[in-house]
Amino acid sequence: FTFIFFITLLSLSHTQLQASIPKHISFQHKMQAGSAYQDPISVIFQYSEGYIWLGGQSALYRYDGYDFESFSRVTLSSGTKTKSINRVIDIIEDKSGRIWVANMNGLSIFDRDLDSLRQFPGGLGNSAINRIIELPNGKIAAASYAGVVIIDPSDFSTIQISQETGGNTSLPENVITNMLIDAKNQFWVSTNKGLSHIDIESLEVTNYLFEMTLTLPVEHLVEDHQGNLWLGGGVNLFHFNQQNNTFTKIDAKQNTPNPLYYGYVISLY
């Protein structure tokens, strides 16, 4: 396969860019006009068999090292009708090799035998899904604007966790911005109100809330090498210490010669 490099330019100074970019770089365009070349790509994923999958605004694309193939329609559960894809947001492969695709029109599964996308049976097939991950126990977690749904891939049964769940399995709000499995196999969910830890087996929820109301979404969630969690998005950047379960807000406008970041957080790594 030809290696493909996808580059995101962040807010770096001219000096930083000069120091970090090699002097001689060559690129080879692989996306043909009329397909992925004209469709903004929001997610890239490489399948275990080597294929590269790209999620666009109007289709899912598969690249085999030579050609692109597009999948713009999803076969409904009935098997007789299809619907269009609307903005692919996430793609994962589970331990069994099954590919899950999240888009604004619902959750889909790629059928390798039929070489097509099929709608997930049940309500999630029509709900906007913004993130999917596989849990350590093999189940799938799908984040939406109505909470988190835990899916058992053996029979596609689901359990909903939301603000309305009640008791010790209730989230602070339903709009899920991101999800993470940390180095200790703990399951974390972020919302604009803070972090929620969900026990993978009991599904008990422990909420850690911000002390302020956010005006822009916190879309990014990562773990550093010391086990601390970082949340960022818009003008907000938070550090969460798992030792004492506290948040520290990093101010973008620190009065220092070299502030950590400028303006908006668009990615965390």
Side-chain angles (χ1 to χ4, degrees):
F1 289 160
T2 301
F3 288 103
I4 302 178
F5 294 92
F6 299 87
I7 298 176
T8 300
L9 293 179
L10 304 180
S11 299
L12 299 177
S13 68
H14 178 68
T15 302
Q16 288 173 309
L17 285 173
Q18 284 185 322
S20 60
I21 298 178
K23 292 183 178 180
H24 303 288
I25 300 178
S26 62
F27 294 92
Q28 185 177 11
H29 292 283
K30 290 293 182 181
M31 296 182 180
Q32 303 97 329
S35 62
Y37 183 79
Q38 296 178 335
D39 193 0
I41 301 300
S42 56
V43 60
I44 304 163
F45 173 79
Q46 185 168 18
Y47 184 45
S48 60
E49 292 184 352
Y51 293 113
I52 293 177
W53 294 87
L54 300 97
Q57 297 295 304
S58 59
L60 176 71
Y61 301 93
R62 182 175 62 194
Y63 179 62
D64 64 3
Y66 301 96
D67 300 303
F68 285 94
E69 185 172 0
S70 64
F71 303 88
S72 60
R73 307 290 297 180
V74 177
T75 303
L76 302 185
S77 301
S78 61
T80 58
K81 296 182 179 180
T82 65
K83 66 177 180 179
S84 61
I85 281 181
N86 178 17
R87 189 186 168 202
V88 177
I89 301 176
D90 204 4
I91 308 168
I92 69 165
E93 176 187 1
D94 65 21
K95 292 182 177 67
S96 66
R98 184 186 289 116
I99 293 178
W100 301 73
V101 179
N103 78 101
M104 296 302 289
N105 275 350
L107 181 65
S108 303
I109 300 172
F110 189 80
D111 190 319
R112 297 171 63 184
D113 295 329
L114 299 176
D115 203 38
S116 65
L117 280 170
R118 301 189 67 84
Q119 180 187 42
F120 179 82
L124 281 181
N126 297 309
S127 303
I129 305 297
N130 52 37
R131 186 85 163 86
I132 40 178
I133 62 172
E134 184 175 20
L135 302 177
N137 60 6
K139 294 183 179 180
I140 303 297
S144 71
Y145 297 98
V148 178
V149 176
I150 307 300
I151 304 167
D152 187 336
S154 65
D155 58 7
F156 294 140
S157 60
T158 61
I159 298 177
Q160 179 88 24
I161 303 174
S162 69
Q163 190 175 10
E164 290 77 26
T165 305
N168 58 359
T169 59
S170 179
L171 295 169
E173 71 172 13
N174 286 335
V175 179
I176 308 302
T177 58
N178 215 323
M179 300 186 293
L180 171 75
I181 300 296
D182 68 16
K184 297 179 180 179
N185 282 335
Q186 297 185 100
F187 180 29
W188 298 90
V189 169
S190 64
T191 68
N192 286 336
K193 291 189 176 180
L195 271 174
S196 297
H197 173 267
I198 302 177
D199 185 278
I200 292 174
E201 300 303 330
S202 68
L203 301 184
E204 182 175 339
V205 179
T206 304
N207 297 311
Y208 305 96
L209 305 181
F210 298 134
E211 295 181 352
M212 63 191 74
T213 300
L214 305 185
T215 57
L216 292 172
V218 177
E219 300 172 331
H220 311 289
L221 174 61
V222 298
E223 180 185 17
D224 65 26
H225 294 296
Q226 296 179 333
N228 299 304
L229 302 182
W230 293 81
L231 297 87
V235 296
N236 302 299
L237 179 62
F238 293 93
H239 167 269
F240 181 73
N241 188 326
Q242 291 197 54
Q243 300 299 318
N244 53 23
N245 297 325
T246 58
F247 288 102
T248 300
K249 188 177 189 301
I250 311 300
D251 189 357
K253 300 178 180 179
Q254 298 180 60
N255 295 318
T256 61
N258 297 296
L260 182 60
Y261 70 101
Y262 301 86
Y264 282 71
V265 177
I266 60 174
S267 182
L268 291 176
Y269 178 74

